[in-house]
Amino acid sequence: MTTTQSAVPPNPTPAAGQPSTGPLRTLFCIGVTQDFFAADDALRATVAAAILPAFDRLGERFGVHVLGTLDDDQLMVGATTAWPWTSYILADVPDLQTASAVCGIVRDTPVGDSRLWRYLRIEARVGRPLFFGTN
């Protein structure tokens, strides 16, 4: 480090117990229910076709900045009842109301005579970025 560089990151994480400023770092955890696996091939294809538009353009629709995604469908087979989840979306989200609205996608998206929540589960973990590993 040269004398002109600072040891403090430009946007330091607040100390424990201090309020965070800026977006909320959010991990959306998505699992597949047993109803998806019990469905026939045609219905599973319909569900799969509904997922992409349901989660497309999160930035435009909700002001969410997606940092990354992970799909574990090759090593995770079967219904997901809790951790480990089938897939994840890591994002910076403006506020809790927005995080709730993204979770609501599963509740609101129609799939045939049902809603996406019959076939998917979603849960959000909300925190703040750690003070290291952000760049």
PDB file of all heavy atoms in Angstrom, residues 24-39:
ATOM      1  N   LEU A  24     -30.118  -3.168   0.368  1.00  0.00           N
ATOM      2  CA  LEU A  24     -30.025  -4.353   1.216  1.00  0.00           C
ATOM      3  C   LEU A  24     -29.480  -5.513   0.400  1.00  0.00           C
ATOM      4  O   LEU A  24     -30.012  -5.828  -0.663  1.00  0.00           O
ATOM      5  CB  LEU A  24     -31.408  -4.724   1.752  1.00  0.00           C
ATOM      6  CG  LEU A  24     -32.135  -3.659   2.567  1.00  0.00           C
ATOM      7  CD1 LEU A  24     -33.555  -4.117   2.859  1.00  0.00           C
ATOM      8  CD2 LEU A  24     -31.377  -3.361   3.841  1.00  0.00           C
ATOM      9  N   ARG A  25     -28.439  -6.137   0.868  1.00  0.00           N
ATOM     10  CA  ARG A  25     -27.915  -7.338   0.204  1.00  0.00           C
ATOM     11  C   ARG A  25     -28.888  -8.466   0.526  1.00  0.00           C
ATOM     12  O   ARG A  25     -29.166  -8.756   1.687  1.00  0.00           O
ATOM     13  CB  ARG A  25     -26.514  -7.635   0.732  1.00  0.00           C
ATOM     14  CG  ARG A  25     -25.796  -8.808   0.122  1.00  0.00           C
ATOM     15  CD  ARG A  25     -25.442  -8.655  -1.358  1.00  0.00           C
ATOM     16  NE  ARG A  25     -24.894  -7.412  -1.802  1.00  0.00           N
ATOM     17  CZ  ARG A  25     -23.598  -7.112  -1.912  1.00  0.00           C
ATOM     18  NH1 ARG A  25     -22.690  -7.986  -1.574  1.00  0.00           N
ATOM     19  NH2 ARG A  25     -23.213  -5.945  -2.371  1.00  0.00           N
ATOM     20  N   THR A  26     -29.437  -9.080  -0.509  1.00  0.00           N
ATOM     21  CA  THR A  26     -30.498 -10.065  -0.333  1.00  0.00           C
ATOM     22  C   THR A  26     -30.183 -11.335  -1.101  1.00  0.00           C
ATOM     23  O   THR A  26     -29.801 -11.282  -2.267  1.00  0.00           O
ATOM     24  CB  THR A  26     -31.848  -9.482  -0.816  1.00  0.00           C
ATOM     25  OG1 THR A  26     -32.079  -8.243  -0.133  1.00  0.00           O
ATOM     26  CG2 THR A  26     -32.990 -10.427  -0.540  1.00  0.00           C
ATOM     27  N   LEU A  27     -30.354 -12.451  -0.426  1.00  0.00           N
ATOM     28  CA  LEU A  27     -30.201 -13.757  -1.061  1.00  0.00           C
ATOM     29  C   LEU A  27     -31.588 -14.377  -1.158  1.00  0.00           C
ATOM     30  O   LEU A  27     -32.206 -14.694  -0.146  1.00  0.00           O
ATOM     31  CB  LEU A  27     -29.274 -14.661  -0.246  1.00  0.00           C
ATOM     32  CG  LEU A  27     -29.016 -16.046  -0.836  1.00  0.00           C
ATOM     33  CD1 LEU A  27     -28.272 -15.929  -2.174  1.00  0.00           C
ATOM     34  CD2 LEU A  27     -28.213 -16.894   0.152  1.00  0.00           C
ATOM     35  N   PHE A  28     -32.092 -14.483  -2.383  1.00  0.00           N
ATOM     36  CA  PHE A  28     -33.369 -15.145  -2.625  1.00  0.00           C
ATOM     37  C   PHE A  28     -33.076 -16.624  -2.831  1.00  0.00           C
ATOM     38  O   PHE A  28     -32.295 -16.989  -3.720  1.00  0.00           O
ATOM     39  CB  PHE A  28     -34.075 -14.554  -3.850  1.00  0.00           C
ATOM     40  CG  PHE A  28     -34.477 -13.122  -3.679  1.00  0.00           C
ATOM     41  CD1 PHE A  28     -33.687 -12.097  -4.188  1.00  0.00           C
ATOM     42  CD2 PHE A  28     -35.636 -12.790  -2.993  1.00  0.00           C
ATOM     43  CE1 PHE A  28     -34.051 -10.769  -4.020  1.00  0.00           C
ATOM     44  CE2 PHE A  28     -36.003 -11.464  -2.824  1.00  0.00           C
ATOM     45  CZ  PHE A  28     -35.210 -10.457  -3.330  1.00  0.00           C
ATOM     46  N   CYS A  29     -33.678 -17.462  -2.013  1.00  0.00           N
ATOM     47  CA  CYS A  29     -33.456 -18.908  -2.054  1.00  0.00           C
ATOM     48  C   CYS A  29     -34.717 -19.543  -2.627  1.00  0.00           C
ATOM     49  O   CYS A  29     -35.815 -19.323  -2.113  1.00  0.00           O
ATOM     50  CB  CYS A  29     -33.204 -19.437  -0.650  1.00  0.00           C
ATOM     51  SG  CYS A  29     -31.918 -18.535   0.237  1.00  0.00           S
ATOM     52  N   ILE A  30     -34.553 -20.310  -3.684  1.00  0.00           N
ATOM     53  CA  ILE A  30     -35.696 -20.868  -4.398  1.00  0.00           C
ATOM     54  C   ILE A  30     -35.603 -22.383  -4.399  1.00  0.00           C
ATOM     55  O   ILE A  30     -34.557 -22.944  -4.721  1.00  0.00           O
ATOM     56  CB  ILE A  30     -35.752 -20.328  -5.849  1.00  0.00           C
ATOM     57  CG1 ILE A  30     -35.830 -18.804  -5.825  1.00  0.00           C
ATOM     58  CG2 ILE A  30     -36.919 -20.938  -6.608  1.00  0.00           C
ATOM     59  CD1 ILE A  30     -35.623 -18.146  -7.168  1.00  0.00           C
ATOM     60  N   GLY A  31     -36.696 -23.020  -4.032  1.00  0.00           N
ATOM     61  CA  GLY A  31     -36.762 -24.470  -4.020  1.00  0.00           C
ATOM     62  C   GLY A  31     -37.926 -24.967  -4.850  1.00  0.00           C
ATOM     63  O   GLY A  31     -38.870 -24.237  -5.136  1.00  0.00           O
ATOM     64  N   VAL A  32     -37.849 -26.215  -5.238  1.00  0.00           N
ATOM     65  CA  VAL A  32     -38.886 -26.855  -6.043  1.00  0.00           C
ATOM     66  C   VAL A  32     -39.698 -27.761  -5.122  1.00  0.00           C
ATOM     67  O   VAL A  32     -39.145 -28.513  -4.324  1.00  0.00           O
ATOM     68  CB  VAL A  32     -38.243 -27.663  -7.189  1.00  0.00           C
ATOM     69  CG1 VAL A  32     -39.305 -28.302  -8.066  1.00  0.00           C
ATOM     70  CG2 VAL A  32     -37.325 -26.778  -8.017  1.00  0.00           C
ATOM     71  N   THR A  33     -41.016 -27.693  -5.233  1.00  0.00           N
ATOM     72  CA  THR A  33     -41.886 -28.495  -4.372  1.00  0.00           C
ATOM     73  C   THR A  33     -42.154 -29.879  -4.973  1.00  0.00           C
ATOM     74  O   THR A  33     -41.902 -30.124  -6.153  1.00  0.00           O
ATOM     75  CB  THR A  33     -43.238 -27.801  -4.139  1.00  0.00           C
ATOM     76  OG1 THR A  33     -43.977 -27.834  -5.361  1.00  0.00           O
ATOM     77  CG2 THR A  33     -43.067 -26.372  -3.641  1.00  0.00           C
ATOM     78  N   GLN A  34     -42.726 -30.741  -4.154  1.00  0.00           N
ATOM     79  CA  GLN A  34     -43.062 -32.082  -4.612  1.00  0.00           C
ATOM     80  C   GLN A  34     -44.125 -32.049  -5.704  1.00  0.00           C
ATOM     81  O   GLN A  34     -44.143 -32.912  -6.580  1.00  0.00           O
ATOM     82  CB  GLN A  34     -43.531 -32.945  -3.433  1.00  0.00           C
ATOM     83  CG  GLN A  34     -43.772 -34.392  -3.796  1.00  0.00           C
ATOM     84  CD  GLN A  34     -42.540 -35.082  -4.381  1.00  0.00           C
ATOM     85  OE1 GLN A  34     -41.430 -34.899  -3.904  1.00  0.00           O
ATOM     86  NE2 GLN A  34     -42.738 -35.865  -5.437  1.00  0.00           N
ATOM     87  N   ASP A  35     -44.998 -31.048  -5.694  1.00  0.00           N
ATOM     88  CA  ASP A  35     -46.019 -30.936  -6.744  1.00  0.00           C
ATOM     89  C   ASP A  35     -45.388 -30.807  -8.130  1.00  0.00           C
ATOM     90  O   ASP A  35     -45.944 -31.298  -9.120  1.00  0.00           O
ATOM     91  CB  ASP A  35     -46.945 -29.746  -6.495  1.00  0.00           C
ATOM     92  CG  ASP A  35     -47.998 -30.037  -5.445  1.00  0.00           C
ATOM     93  OD1 ASP A  35     -48.274 -31.221  -5.190  1.00  0.00           O
ATOM     94  OD2 ASP A  35     -48.533 -29.069  -4.874  1.00  0.00           O
ATOM     95  N   PHE A  36     -44.243 -30.152  -8.217  1.00  0.00           N
ATOM     96  CA  PHE A  36     -43.551 -30.048  -9.503  1.00  0.00           C
ATOM     97  C   PHE A  36     -43.134 -31.435  -9.980  1.00  0.00           C
ATOM     98  O   PHE A  36     -43.334 -31.793 -11.138  1.00  0.00           O
ATOM     99  CB  PHE A  36     -42.327 -29.137  -9.386  1.00  0.00           C
ATOM    100  CG  PHE A  36     -41.525 -29.054 -10.650  1.00  0.00           C
ATOM    101  CD1 PHE A  36     -41.908 -28.207 -11.675  1.00  0.00           C
ATOM    102  CD2 PHE A  36     -40.385 -29.821 -10.822  1.00  0.00           C
ATOM    103  CE1 PHE A  36     -41.176 -28.132 -12.853  1.00  0.00           C
ATOM    104  CE2 PHE A  36     -39.639 -29.751 -11.992  1.00  0.00           C
ATOM    105  CZ  PHE A  36     -40.038 -28.902 -13.008  1.00  0.00           C
ATOM    106  N   PHE A  37     -42.579 -32.224  -9.088  1.00  0.00           N
ATOM    107  CA  PHE A  37     -42.107 -33.550  -9.476  1.00  0.00           C
ATOM    108  C   PHE A  37     -43.250 -34.530  -9.708  1.00  0.00           C
ATOM    109  O   PHE A  37     -43.119 -35.473 -10.474  1.00  0.00           O
ATOM    110  CB  PHE A  37     -41.128 -34.089  -8.431  1.00  0.00           C
ATOM    111  CG  PHE A  37     -39.845 -33.311  -8.414  1.00  0.00           C
ATOM    112  CD1 PHE A  37     -39.611 -32.353  -7.452  1.00  0.00           C
ATOM    113  CD2 PHE A  37     -38.895 -33.509  -9.399  1.00  0.00           C
ATOM    114  CE1 PHE A  37     -38.443 -31.617  -7.444  1.00  0.00           C
ATOM    115  CE2 PHE A  37     -37.716 -32.776  -9.412  1.00  0.00           C
ATOM    116  CZ  PHE A  37     -37.488 -31.831  -8.438  1.00  0.00           C
ATOM    117  N   ALA A  38     -44.384 -34.280  -9.075  1.00  0.00           N
ATOM    118  CA  ALA A  38     -45.547 -35.140  -9.264  1.00  0.00           C
ATOM    119  C   ALA A  38     -46.299 -34.818 -10.560  1.00  0.00           C
ATOM    120  O   ALA A  38     -47.093 -35.630 -11.034  1.00  0.00           O
ATOM    121  CB  ALA A  38     -46.494 -35.012  -8.072  1.00  0.00           C
ATOM    122  N   ALA A  39     -46.032 -33.655 -11.129  1.00  0.00           N
ATOM    123  CA  ALA A  39     -46.720 -33.236 -12.354  1.00  0.00           C
ATOM    124  C   ALA A  39     -46.208 -34.037 -13.554  1.00  0.00           C
ATOM    125  O   ALA A  39     -45.095 -34.556 -13.548  1.00  0.00           O
ATOM    126  CB  ALA A  39     -46.481 -31.740 -12.589  1.00  0.00           C
TER     127      ALA A  39
END
